[in-house]
Amino acid sequence: MDVCGKRVQFFFLIFLFLTTGTVIFQHFGFPGVSHGEGVPRTDKTTYRKLEVKEKSDNNKDKFLLRTKYIGCYPDNTQNKTLRGYSFVDENMTVLRCQNNCGERGYKYAGLEAGTMCFCGNLVFTHTTVDRDCKMFCRGETTLCGGVNRLSVFKLMSRYEKPIFKGCFHRPDNITLAFPISTVIQNMSVDKCVVMCTEKEQSLAVLAGDRCHCGFPTHLFSLHELQNEDMCLPHCPGGEFERCGNNEYFVVYRIQIQDNRCLERGFLPPQENKLVALTSFPGSGNTWVRHLIELTTGFYTGSVYFDKTLYSQGFKGEREDWRKGTTICIKTHSKKKESIDEFDSSILLIRNPYKAIISEFNRKHGGHTGFASKDDWKGTGWSVYVKNGAHSWHSHISNWLSYGKNIKVIYYEDLQRNLLPQLRKIVQFLGLKVSDDRLLCVEGEKDGEFKRSKKGNLEYNPYIPEMHANISEYIRIVDAALKERQQPGLPEEYMAK
């Protein structure tokens, strides 16, 4: 070999050495090397960046979430392995499950049957053989448990952001109100929150040097807020934190799922009356279905089939709505022949200005997305407003004219005064529900399809001509409601 060839071979070997060394260096995670998302390690531990949006401002805190696969576990409805938050996603990935559990402050994330994710702070069963967890995730070719089998990961660093609820007076029966209680030396908010998180309780209650844990109940409903000055002194372990005292308690809400109102089922197949849950699109029908399911314990149905809603737990989507096995049935139809099929109906009404924007966002961005800037600037928006305003009016008017046994519910009343409105709905449906279940619903009210405020428009998209058109329809609907001995539309609908 000539000199030139030897030089080429020499530099090639150096390049190969450096490249191989770099790969080995990154793989084994030496100190000082930052790991990218999902970089594997020899101990089945991975690192990933997780972004969590703070409630107090628009900044995002990034932190490193370290996860470790700990095994395959048996799981069934009678003996759950992880007993916290859970959800179903037809496009499930390991990362999405870990994200959801990590953001809610849980220690463990488990995946089952390719589509289900479970979170928890305790593992209640023992491992089985790894080969039982052999099903792939629906959203990627990664193992996601099996039938009645969980692939479980330990979240070794997690984000906890408790929500300050305020100062409250000591309940009459403190032992029943808070089943878990202990004295903590050098008390701080963090110490009480950590303890209650470990116990999977949604309330961390500070009373001097004592920490109580529990859920909102009729004994302690969080509805009677006191002046914060009553909750002095400061915590020994937190100079700028208040710890309450024997009579007035400082309360924090932890991002722990309250399971008391999550169990749902179908009505027995029989001659049940068909109850419509009807609204103009964009009026919050999906959100109200979520509330009704949590409140009553029964699935709601739909005259349509939405795969996305079904994958997120609305199991009534696939039921034949005419069987009467669901507590009420979603419909946006305003045709007389469709209205005639129902024995009674809940007519959900929302401010048309808000409803039209919401539905325009859904059409262009999905259930939780937003229309683009170009969508708002195009002619499609003005055409949609014209058609949408007429459709909002005709939908309400037709149901008032042809519907039987109508119960009018305003979206804005549910937002402002949730529990009294839910009691009205429950009474209309002929059911009885405990106060504790309603308080559970209050804590779990948002659901999976709440649209974030970050994508809201920063300007009013309605021009004067649009206002004039919508205002006229508002006056017509208001008169139609009063003509049928219903309360008129809220005054805020009349304001431009």
Side-chain angles (χ1 to χ4, degrees):
M1 184 181 295
D2 58 18
V3 174
C4 182
K6 289 181 178 178
R7 287 179 177 175
V8 171
Q9 186 181 44
F10 174 75
F11 285 115
F12 175 76
L13 290 171
I14 290 176
F15 172 78
L16 184 63
F17 173 80
L18 291 173
T19 304
T20 307
T22 301
V23 172
I24 294 172
F25 189 74
Q26 288 179 340
H27 178 73
F28 284 97
F30 289 94
V33 178
S34 62
H35 290 266
E37 185 173 298
V39 176
R41 288 171 56 93
T42 54
D43 62 354
K44 294 185 180 180
T45 302
T46 59
Y47 292 84
R48 57 191 173 82
K49 287 287 185 180
L50 184 62
E51 292 186 354
V52 177
K53 183 174 176 62
E54 289 281 349
K55 293 182 181 297
S56 58
D57 54 45
N58 292 324
N59 296 323
K60 288 185 177 181
D61 282 348
K62 293 183 178 180
F63 65 97
L64 201 62
L65 182 63
R66 184 166 172 251
T67 68
K68 182 177 182 179
Y69 175 74
I70 61 170
C72 181
Y73 287 75
D75 189 63
N76 58 67
T77 54
Q78 285 74 38
N79 189 23
K80 301 299 294 180
T81 299
L82 299 175
R83 301 177 183 178
Y85 174 74
S86 63
F87 68 97
V88 178
D89 188 346
E90 292 296 329
N91 295 303
M92 181 66 74
T93 66
V94 172
L95 189 60
R96 177 161 193 225
C97 180
Q98 292 174 346
N99 273 348
N100 275 271
C101 295
E103 288 173 6
R104 288 168 171 80
Y106 287 102
K107 282 185 175 180
Y108 298 95
L111 297 106
E112 181 174 340
T115 62
M116 294 182 282
C117 175
F118 297 88
C119 312
N121 287 313
L122 296 172
V123 178
F124 288 93
T125 58
H126 299 286
T127 55
T128 183
V129 292
D130 277 345
R131 65 175 176 270
D132 285 355
C133 290
K134 58 185 179 182
M135 294 181 68
F136 287 120
C137 299
R138 289 285 181 87
E140 63 183 2
T141 54
T142 306
L143 293 179
C144 267
V147 178
N148 294 329
R149 293 293 185 270
L150 276 179
S151 295
V152 179
F153 295 83
K154 185 174 183 181
L155 311 180
M156 301 167 76
S157 299
R158 56 204 172 105
Y159 182 79
E160 296 173 355
K161 185 65 177 178
I163 301 168
F164 176 67
K165 300 301 292 184
C167 178
F168 296 87
H169 192 266
R170 175 192 177 103
D172 292 334
N173 193 326
I174 194 167
T175 304
L176 286 178
F178 305 120
I180 299 169
S181 178
T182 190
V183 172
I184 296 179
Q185 299 297 322
N186 203 26
M187 172 69 85
S188 69
V189 171
D190 279 348
K191 288 181 179 179
C192 188
V193 165
V194 167
M195 188 192 90
C196 296
T197 300
E198 298 285 341
K199 302 298 184 182
E200 299 195 347
Q201 306 287 300
S202 68
L203 297 183
V205 182
L206 292 87
D209 63 351
R210 184 168 287 277
C211 173
H212 304 287
C213 307
F215 290 100
T217 65
H218 65 284
L219 298 172
F220 195 73
S221 66
L222 299 183
H223 290 167
E224 297 177 1
L225 190 64
Q226 304 292 318
N227 189 308
E228 288 183 27
D229 290 339
M230 304 300 291
C231 279
L232 293 172
H234 293 293
C235 298
E239 183 179 354
F240 302 105
E241 300 173 345
R242 296 189 180 190
C243 264
N245 49 64
N246 287 336
E247 288 299 319
Y248 291 91
F249 298 169
V250 174
V251 180
Y252 284 83
R253 182 130 199 171
I254 305 168
Q255 297 182 54
I256 294 290
Q257 190 173 43
D258 188 344
N259 292 320
R260 294 175 298 167
C261 56
L262 299 185
E263 289 296 325
R264 286 161 287 174
F266 291 103
L267 292 166
Q270 55 187 17
E271 290 298 320
N272 295 311
K273 291 185 176 181
L274 297 180
V275 182
L277 175 61
T278 184
S279 66
F280 169 76
S283 299
N285 199 300
T286 300
W287 178 53
V288 176
R289 287 179 67 186
H290 165 75
L291 294 174
I292 290 174
E293 290 193 2
L294 295 190
T295 303
T296 65
F298 295 112
Y299 286 116
T300 60
S302 175
V303 299
Y304 319 103
F305 172 66
D306 188 319
K307 183 179 178 182
T308 302
L309 294 182
Y310 178 80
S311 71
Q312 294 296 324
F314 287 90
K315 300 304 181 186
E317 285 289 308
R318 277 190 173 170
E319 281 288 293
D320 179 354
W321 61 272
R322 292 182 177 86
K323 287 168 57 179
T325 55
T326 53
I327 193 66
C328 61
I329 299 130
K330 169 184 175 177
T331 179
H332 296 309
S333 178
K334 56 185 178 180
K335 296 179 180 179
K336 182 180 183 302
E337 56 268 29
S338 298
I339 297 172
D340 287 341
E341 294 191 82
F342 294 96
D343 302 292
S344 58
S345 59
I346 298 168
L347 176 57
L348 176 63
I349 301 177
R350 186 181 185 184
N351 187 321
Y353 291 102
K354 301 290 187 180
I356 290 170
I357 287 176
S358 176
E359 179 60 7
F360 191 73
N361 276 322
R362 189 199 66 81
K363 281 183 174 292
H364 292 275
H367 282 287
T368 57
F370 294 89
S372 68
K373 291 181 180 179
D374 291 338
D375 293 326
W376 295 105
K377 294 177 181 177
T379 57
W381 166 241
S382 59
V383 172
Y384 184 76
V385 171
K386 182 179 180 180
N387 294 335
H390 179 269
S391 183
W392 178 84
H393 144 257
S394 59
H395 179 274
I396 298 171
S397 298
N398 285 3
W399 277 91
L400 290 174
S401 297
Y402 308 127
K404 301 182 283 289
N405 191 21
I406 299 286
K407 179 66 178 179
V408 176
I409 294 290
Y410 291 104
Y411 174 89
E412 293 77 14
D413 287 343
L414 281 165
Q415 285 189 312
R416 281 189 294 258
N417 211 2
L418 179 65
L419 297 193
Q421 296 303 311
L422 289 179
R423 287 190 180 97
K424 289 180 182 178
I425 293 173
V426 167
Q427 184 178 11
F428 180 75
L429 293 172
L431 300 174
K432 292 184 179 180
V433 176
S434 70
D435 287 343
D436 284 0
R437 188 174 183 102
L438 286 170
L439 289 169
C440 172
V441 176
E442 188 176 43
E444 301 294 327
K445 65 182 179 181
D446 287 342
E448 292 290 322
F449 290 98
K450 182 179 180 181
R451 186 172 278 112
S452 164
K453 292 183 179 180
K454 67 179 181 181
N456 286 348
L457 288 174
E458 296 179 355
Y459 63 93
N460 186 346
Y462 293 102
I463 61 176
E465 291 83 358
M466 295 176 179
H467 275 293
N469 187 33
I470 295 172
S471 294
E472 179 60 26
Y473 285 129
I474 287 174
R475 283 191 287 272
I476 293 172
V477 169
D478 184 61
L481 285 163
K482 292 175 180 176
E483 184 181 329
R484 289 161 179 81
Q485 287 73 52
Q486 296 277 0
L489 292 173
E491 290 185 9
E492 64 198 80
Y493 286 25
M494 312 299 178
K496 291 187 179 181

